[in-house]
Amino acid sequence: MGAANVAEEAKRLLRTRITDPSFVFSFFSQNSNSNYSNLKYIISSSVTETCNNSALLMGPRGCGKIAILELVLEELMKEHPGMISVIKLNGLLHGDSKCAMKEIARQLCLEHELVFSKMASYDDNSTFLMSMLRECGLAHKTLVFVLDEFDLFTQGKQQLLYNLLDALQTLTSQAVVVGVSCRMDADQLLEKRVASRFSHRKLLFLHPSSEDLQRLTKHILQLSTDSGLPNDYVATFNTRLYKLLADEKFKGIIDTLAYVDATISHLLKFLFCAVSLLDSKSGILSLDIFKSALQRVQRQPKMESLKDCSILELYILVCIKRMEAKEQDTCNFNSMMKEYKSIHDTFQTSDYYARNVCLRAFEHLLDQHLLSFEDGKGHGQSTEFRPVKLLVTWPELHLALKSHRSCPTVLHKLMMDREG
């Protein structure tokens, strides 16, 4: 096998890993005290001990709640074939109780090869659900109800939640209700009659830290000896990878990536881009590859707008960023002009413009959506008095200043002082 063919085969293998959620999230199953282990115990206890359970998975979007749940269900269905049936609902689609009950009946009929009646009423579908719970309980088969966007099911009378959780109180049923929500107060939205039937098992999911992202990167990219690739190539590839992971510059790249977006999907997009840039001749990952991948996955439209900014507009952005760092109560055009004058008086710069010119530049930044008003319509206030906020992060502004061809040295100094 030639060097180019080996590199292409390695790229194919790594891309397959990155796009396989089961492989990616198996990383989180290695810890015995992880959410994966706790969730698997909750669901498996219903299967093995013929009991009912309910749980709520809470955390911000993109932290892997659904992916971990899917992995747990996949593992348990392999361990207990034919003993688990999964019913999936989404609050965005099935927030109405009648619609949700009909969808439950449809999925149950599809799973058990029964005839589904579109004309059945809510009471008919509710009766059918109770009979299926009883039959599945007698057959020692567990029904798992997954309620994504759980907080949307709490709107209205919560009849569906009451019916499902009330069914868990019977001895004949064998079921698990798993709610998934990005709201941290989702359990507080339950009515008393519903909350009294909920087990209050809550698993909190958070975005992975930079250290976790580095360990996940190692889990995805390191090659195993049974991958079908030459052993000498695997050894060289892994040695280079371990050196990269220990490099402070690489850690800085991961920190920058996590600062903008710490979701696992964002990391996977970054790694897929890096693997795609792998050189077919060497077949080895380098720091330059990861730097190029970072530039490609960063939000480009805003960076393009920053590159087109005039010198005066860069001064305005830096002034507002400095004011935000000082935590000033009000940040508007007038207060920005005071900061601008202060910089000019301190450094005696030649880049000092008239107030009306500054106002036009300020309004242009608003049009480019690099600034925005904080007070909505403003109730007829003049632009000069309305509070504004910066829509550019510190790393984005810092990168824009570095890449701008005519950026004054004083702005670099001001940002370096801010960094220090």
Side-chain angles (χ1 to χ4, degrees):
M1 187 183 291
N5 292 335
V6 171
E8 288 300 321
E9 184 62 23
K11 287 169 71 173
R12 186 198 63 78
L13 173 62
L14 293 175
R15 283 171 176 166
T16 303
R17 285 182 174 184
I18 293 170
T19 54
D20 181 9
S22 297
F23 179 83
V24 172
F25 286 93
S26 64
F27 167 78
F28 297 97
S29 65
Q30 299 170 3
N31 186 353
S32 59
N33 197 32
S34 64
N35 283 329
Y36 169 89
S37 301
N38 294 331
L39 182 59
K40 187 174 182 180
Y41 171 77
I42 291 172
I43 299 178
S44 63
S45 63
S46 179
V47 180
T48 57
E49 301 174 15
T50 63
C51 62
N52 298 310
N53 277 316
S54 58
L56 185 56
L57 315 184
M58 300 186 299
R61 298 190 188 279
C63 63
K65 303 183 294 295
I66 289 292
I68 293 293
L69 176 58
E70 293 282 0
L71 182 61
V72 167
L73 292 174
E74 182 182 343
E75 290 292 324
L76 289 176
M77 291 174 84
K78 289 179 181 178
E79 295 175 10
H80 308 281
M83 296 181 65
I84 298 176
S85 181
V86 181
I87 308 297
K88 297 180 179 180
L89 300 176
N90 190 300
L92 293 170
L93 301 174
H94 313 114
D96 178 69
S97 296
K98 292 181 180 179
C99 177
M101 193 61 73
K102 181 176 287 188
E103 178 62 17
I104 291 173
R106 188 192 68 80
Q107 292 188 35
L108 284 172
C109 288
L110 184 64
E111 176 77 16
H112 297 88
E113 299 181 353
L114 300 173
V115 179
F116 170 65
S117 173
K118 294 183 180 180
M119 304 304 294
S121 65
Y122 178 86
D123 291 336
D124 293 336
N125 288 329
S126 181
T127 302
F128 172 70
L129 171 61
M130 296 305 295
S131 63
M132 287 300 298
L133 283 169
R134 183 170 57 253
E135 292 298 325
C136 289
L138 293 173
H140 299 292
K141 185 173 185 177
T142 300
L143 291 180
V144 180
F145 297 91
V146 178
L147 307 183
D148 198 5
E149 304 291 348
F150 180 81
D151 49 286
L152 298 181
F153 288 99
T154 64
Q155 298 177 1
K157 297 181 179 180
Q158 303 185 7
Q159 190 63 41
L160 174 72
L161 295 178
Y162 176 78
N163 288 347
L164 286 178
L165 294 173
D166 189 57
L168 301 188
Q169 312 305 312
T170 62
L171 297 176
T172 56
S173 64
Q174 187 174 332
V176 183
V177 175
V178 181
V180 183
S181 177
C182 61
R183 287 191 57 167
M184 308 306 288
D185 62 343
D187 58 320
Q188 303 299 318
L189 303 175
L190 299 175
E191 295 179 355
K192 287 185 179 180
R193 60 172 187 157
V194 179
S196 64
R197 288 162 172 77
F198 178 60
S199 67
H200 292 281
R201 289 187 178 93
K202 294 179 287 187
L203 298 181
L204 178 61
F205 289 74
L206 298 173
H207 287 310
S209 62
S210 295
E211 292 76 16
D212 289 334
L213 291 178
Q214 290 181 45
R215 287 194 290 269
L216 181 56
T217 299
K218 179 180 178 182
H219 167 74
I220 294 172
L221 295 183
Q222 68 179 353
L223 299 176
S224 59
T225 53
D226 59 352
S227 60
L229 298 170
N231 290 335
D232 55 343
Y233 173 79
V234 171
T236 304
F237 184 93
N238 287 339
T239 301
R240 179 57 180 164
L241 176 64
Y242 299 152
K243 288 182 179 179
L244 269 176
L245 293 172
D247 192 334
E248 291 298 325
K249 293 182 179 178
F250 179 80
K251 293 179 181 179
I253 292 174
I254 297 297
D255 289 340
T256 302
L257 188 77
Y259 183 90
V260 176
D261 187 349
T263 61
I264 295 172
S265 60
H266 190 57
L267 174 69
L268 297 180
K269 180 181 177 182
F270 165 71
L271 293 180
F272 192 94
C273 186
V275 170
S276 299
L277 294 172
L278 188 65
D279 184 19
S280 298
K281 293 182 179 179
S282 66
I284 303 298
L285 292 169
S286 65
L287 188 64
D288 290 336
I289 287 177
F290 286 104
K291 286 181 178 179
S292 299
L294 179 64
Q295 291 179 354
R296 295 194 179 194
V297 300
Q298 283 178 329
R299 292 176 290 178
Q300 296 301 320
K302 195 173 289 186
M303 293 303 300
E304 291 299 323
S305 297
L306 286 169
K307 287 180 182 178
D308 294 334
C309 283
S310 65
I311 301 298
L312 175 57
E313 288 168 348
L314 291 179
Y315 267 102
I316 293 174
L317 292 174
V318 170
C319 286
I320 295 177
K321 176 59 72 175
R322 283 168 56 85
M323 291 163 63
E324 288 183 352
K326 296 175 184 177
E327 298 183 354
Q328 291 191 12
D329 295 335
T330 303
C331 182
N332 55 26
F333 176 77
N334 288 332
S335 58
M336 183 279 300
M337 285 300 296
K338 292 179 181 179
E339 182 71 20
Y340 179 47
K341 187 176 186 306
S342 172
I343 293 174
H344 171 70
D345 293 342
T346 303
F347 295 95
Q348 295 297 312
T349 65
S350 59
D351 304 307
Y352 191 72
Y353 299 86
R355 182 182 178 87
N356 62 329
V357 178
C358 293
L359 182 58
R360 286 200 300 271
F362 186 82
E363 291 172 341
H364 184 254
L365 290 174
L366 288 167
D367 293 337
Q368 293 295 312
H369 300 289
L370 298 175
L371 297 176
S372 73
F373 292 117
E374 290 186 345
D375 56 353
K377 296 181 180 180
H379 305 292
Q381 271 188 318
S382 172
T383 301
E384 302 171 48
F385 299 97
R386 293 175 64 183
V388 296
K389 60 182 177 181
L390 194 61
L391 300 181
V392 181
T393 63
W394 150 246
E396 287 173 337
L397 183 55
H398 184 62
L399 185 62
L401 294 178
K402 288 175 62 177
S403 60
H404 200 281
R405 291 173 295 180
S406 306
C407 181
T409 306
V410 64
L411 291 183
H412 287 295
K413 178 174 175 56
L414 288 170
M415 293 303 280
M416 292 299 292
D417 291 343
R418 154 69 172 78
E419 189 177 31

PDB file of all heavy atoms in Angstrom, residues 84-100:
ATOM      1  N   ILE A  84     -37.471  -4.034  24.733  1.00  0.00           N
ATOM      2  CA  ILE A  84     -37.599  -2.581  24.869  1.00  0.00           C
ATOM      3  C   ILE A  84     -38.272  -2.017  23.624  1.00  0.00           C
ATOM      4  O   ILE A  84     -37.914  -2.362  22.492  1.00  0.00           O
ATOM      5  CB  ILE A  84     -36.218  -1.906  25.055  1.00  0.00           C
ATOM      6  CG1 ILE A  84     -35.542  -2.408  26.332  1.00  0.00           C
ATOM      7  CG2 ILE A  84     -36.371  -0.390  25.106  1.00  0.00           C
ATOM      8  CD1 ILE A  84     -34.139  -1.867  26.530  1.00  0.00           C
ATOM      9  N   SER A  85     -39.251  -1.154  23.840  1.00  0.00           N
ATOM     10  CA  SER A  85     -39.919  -0.453  22.756  1.00  0.00           C
ATOM     11  C   SER A  85     -39.852   1.052  23.056  1.00  0.00           C
ATOM     12  O   SER A  85     -40.171   1.474  24.176  1.00  0.00           O
ATOM     13  CB  SER A  85     -41.377  -0.903  22.637  1.00  0.00           C
ATOM     14  OG  SER A  85     -42.027  -0.239  21.578  1.00  0.00           O
ATOM     15  N   VAL A  86     -39.424   1.844  22.075  1.00  0.00           N
ATOM     16  CA  VAL A  86     -39.194   3.266  22.293  1.00  0.00           C
ATOM     17  C   VAL A  86     -40.251   4.088  21.555  1.00  0.00           C
ATOM     18  O   VAL A  86     -40.486   3.883  20.361  1.00  0.00           O
ATOM     19  CB  VAL A  86     -37.784   3.685  21.811  1.00  0.00           C
ATOM     20  CG1 VAL A  86     -37.555   5.168  22.083  1.00  0.00           C
ATOM     21  CG2 VAL A  86     -36.720   2.853  22.513  1.00  0.00           C
ATOM     22  N   ILE A  87     -40.886   5.011  22.274  1.00  0.00           N
ATOM     23  CA  ILE A  87     -41.861   5.943  21.712  1.00  0.00           C
ATOM     24  C   ILE A  87     -41.272   7.348  21.831  1.00  0.00           C
ATOM     25  O   ILE A  87     -40.937   7.794  22.929  1.00  0.00           O
ATOM     26  CB  ILE A  87     -43.212   5.887  22.459  1.00  0.00           C
ATOM     27  CG1 ILE A  87     -43.707   4.438  22.551  1.00  0.00           C
ATOM     28  CG2 ILE A  87     -44.231   6.795  21.788  1.00  0.00           C
ATOM     29  CD1 ILE A  87     -43.982   3.798  21.222  1.00  0.00           C
ATOM     30  N   LYS A  88     -41.120   8.047  20.697  1.00  0.00           N
ATOM     31  CA  LYS A  88     -40.479   9.366  20.697  1.00  0.00           C
ATOM     32  C   LYS A  88     -41.490  10.455  20.358  1.00  0.00           C
ATOM     33  O   LYS A  88     -42.198  10.369  19.357  1.00  0.00           O
ATOM     34  CB  LYS A  88     -39.327   9.399  19.693  1.00  0.00           C
ATOM     35  CG  LYS A  88     -38.201   8.426  20.029  1.00  0.00           C
ATOM     36  CD  LYS A  88     -37.083   8.504  18.996  1.00  0.00           C
ATOM     37  CE  LYS A  88     -35.956   7.539  19.348  1.00  0.00           C
ATOM     38  NZ  LYS A  88     -34.859   7.586  18.353  1.00  0.00           N
ATOM     39  N   LEU A  89     -41.526  11.474  21.206  1.00  0.00           N
ATOM     40  CA  LEU A  89     -42.378  12.643  20.986  1.00  0.00           C
ATOM     41  C   LEU A  89     -41.528  13.905  21.082  1.00  0.00           C
ATOM     42  O   LEU A  89     -40.505  13.922  21.779  1.00  0.00           O
ATOM     43  CB  LEU A  89     -43.505  12.711  22.018  1.00  0.00           C
ATOM     44  CG  LEU A  89     -44.489  11.535  22.087  1.00  0.00           C
ATOM     45  CD1 LEU A  89     -45.470  11.749  23.231  1.00  0.00           C
ATOM     46  CD2 LEU A  89     -45.219  11.355  20.776  1.00  0.00           C
ATOM     47  N   ASN A  90     -41.973  14.954  20.394  1.00  0.00           N
ATOM     48  CA  ASN A  90     -41.287  16.239  20.448  1.00  0.00           C
ATOM     49  C   ASN A  90     -42.303  17.332  20.753  1.00  0.00           C
ATOM     50  O   ASN A  90     -43.339  17.406  20.087  1.00  0.00           O
ATOM     51  CB  ASN A  90     -40.577  16.519  19.118  1.00  0.00           C
ATOM     52  CG  ASN A  90     -39.652  17.718  19.183  1.00  0.00           C
ATOM     53  OD1 ASN A  90     -40.080  18.834  19.467  1.00  0.00           O
ATOM     54  ND2 ASN A  90     -38.380  17.499  18.925  1.00  0.00           N
ATOM     55  N   GLY A  91     -42.003  18.151  21.748  1.00  0.00           N
ATOM     56  CA  GLY A  91     -42.936  19.195  22.155  1.00  0.00           C
ATOM     57  C   GLY A  91     -43.254  20.189  21.063  1.00  0.00           C
ATOM     58  O   GLY A  91     -44.324  20.804  21.069  1.00  0.00           O
ATOM     59  N   LEU A  92     -42.338  20.367  20.107  1.00  0.00           N
ATOM     60  CA  LEU A  92     -42.595  21.279  18.999  1.00  0.00           C
ATOM     61  C   LEU A  92     -43.675  20.745  18.064  1.00  0.00           C
ATOM     62  O   LEU A  92     -44.412  21.505  17.451  1.00  0.00           O
ATOM     63  CB  LEU A  92     -41.307  21.521  18.209  1.00  0.00           C
ATOM     64  CG  LEU A  92     -40.195  22.285  18.932  1.00  0.00           C
ATOM     65  CD1 LEU A  92     -38.908  22.244  18.124  1.00  0.00           C
ATOM     66  CD2 LEU A  92     -40.604  23.724  19.186  1.00  0.00           C
ATOM     67  N   LEU A  93     -43.762  19.407  17.964  1.00  0.00           N
ATOM     68  CA  LEU A  93     -44.723  18.770  17.063  1.00  0.00           C
ATOM     69  C   LEU A  93     -45.944  18.238  17.788  1.00  0.00           C
ATOM     70  O   LEU A  93     -47.046  18.212  17.230  1.00  0.00           O
ATOM     71  CB  LEU A  93     -44.047  17.614  16.307  1.00  0.00           C
ATOM     72  CG  LEU A  93     -42.833  17.966  15.439  1.00  0.00           C
ATOM     73  CD1 LEU A  93     -42.209  16.697  14.888  1.00  0.00           C
ATOM     74  CD2 LEU A  93     -43.242  18.897  14.315  1.00  0.00           C
ATOM     75  N   HIS A  94     -45.748  17.780  19.022  1.00  0.00           N
ATOM     76  CA  HIS A  94     -46.814  17.077  19.733  1.00  0.00           C
ATOM     77  C   HIS A  94     -47.156  17.739  21.062  1.00  0.00           C
ATOM     78  O   HIS A  94     -47.486  17.058  22.034  1.00  0.00           O
ATOM     79  CB  HIS A  94     -46.394  15.617  19.977  1.00  0.00           C
ATOM     80  CG  HIS A  94     -45.818  14.942  18.763  1.00  0.00           C
ATOM     81  ND1 HIS A  94     -44.498  14.539  18.682  1.00  0.00           N
ATOM     82  CD2 HIS A  94     -46.389  14.634  17.574  1.00  0.00           C
ATOM     83  CE1 HIS A  94     -44.271  13.992  17.503  1.00  0.00           C
ATOM     84  NE2 HIS A  94     -45.402  14.028  16.805  1.00  0.00           N
ATOM     85  N   GLY A  95     -47.068  19.062  21.119  1.00  0.00           N
ATOM     86  CA  GLY A  95     -47.387  19.770  22.360  1.00  0.00           C
ATOM     87  C   GLY A  95     -48.844  19.641  22.761  1.00  0.00           C
ATOM     88  O   GLY A  95     -49.177  19.674  23.948  1.00  0.00           O
ATOM     89  N   ASP A  96     -49.733  19.474  21.789  1.00  0.00           N
ATOM     90  CA  ASP A  96     -51.148  19.278  22.077  1.00  0.00           C
ATOM     91  C   ASP A  96     -51.378  17.834  22.539  1.00  0.00           C
ATOM     92  O   ASP A  96     -50.880  16.887  21.937  1.00  0.00           O
ATOM     93  CB  ASP A  96     -51.974  19.563  20.814  1.00  0.00           C
ATOM     94  CG  ASP A  96     -53.459  19.335  21.044  1.00  0.00           C
ATOM     95  OD1 ASP A  96     -54.069  20.110  21.783  1.00  0.00           O
ATOM     96  OD2 ASP A  96     -53.982  18.355  20.475  1.00  0.00           O
ATOM     97  N   SER A  97     -52.147  17.660  23.619  1.00  0.00           N
ATOM     98  CA  SER A  97     -52.352  16.329  24.205  1.00  0.00           C
ATOM     99  C   SER A  97     -53.001  15.358  23.219  1.00  0.00           C
ATOM    100  O   SER A  97     -52.613  14.183  23.136  1.00  0.00           O
ATOM    101  CB  SER A  97     -53.209  16.441  25.470  1.00  0.00           C
ATOM    102  OG  SER A  97     -52.540  17.183  26.461  1.00  0.00           O
ATOM    103  N   LYS A  98     -53.982  15.830  22.458  1.00  0.00           N
ATOM    104  CA  LYS A  98     -54.672  14.953  21.509  1.00  0.00           C
ATOM    105  C   LYS A  98     -53.714  14.485  20.414  1.00  0.00           C
ATOM    106  O   LYS A  98     -53.698  13.303  20.055  1.00  0.00           O
ATOM    107  CB  LYS A  98     -55.860  15.691  20.888  1.00  0.00           C
ATOM    108  CG  LYS A  98     -56.982  15.993  21.871  1.00  0.00           C
ATOM    109  CD  LYS A  98     -58.135  16.703  21.172  1.00  0.00           C
ATOM    110  CE  LYS A  98     -59.267  17.007  22.168  1.00  0.00           C
ATOM    111  NZ  LYS A  98     -60.388  17.719  21.501  1.00  0.00           N
ATOM    112  N   CYS A  99     -52.922  15.422  19.907  1.00  0.00           N
ATOM    113  CA  CYS A  99     -51.948  15.090  18.867  1.00  0.00           C
ATOM    114  C   CYS A  99     -50.902  14.113  19.406  1.00  0.00           C
ATOM    115  O   CYS A  99     -50.518  13.159  18.719  1.00  0.00           O
ATOM    116  CB  CYS A  99     -51.285  16.364  18.355  1.00  0.00           C
ATOM    117  SG  CYS A  99     -50.000  16.103  17.131  1.00  0.00           S
ATOM    118  N   ALA A 100     -50.442  14.347  20.632  1.00  0.00           N
ATOM    119  CA  ALA A 100     -49.426  13.481  21.240  1.00  0.00           C
ATOM    120  C   ALA A 100     -49.957  12.074  21.470  1.00  0.00           C
ATOM    121  O   ALA A 100     -49.267  11.085  21.189  1.00  0.00           O
ATOM    122  CB  ALA A 100     -48.956  14.093  22.563  1.00  0.00           C
TER     123      ALA A 100
END
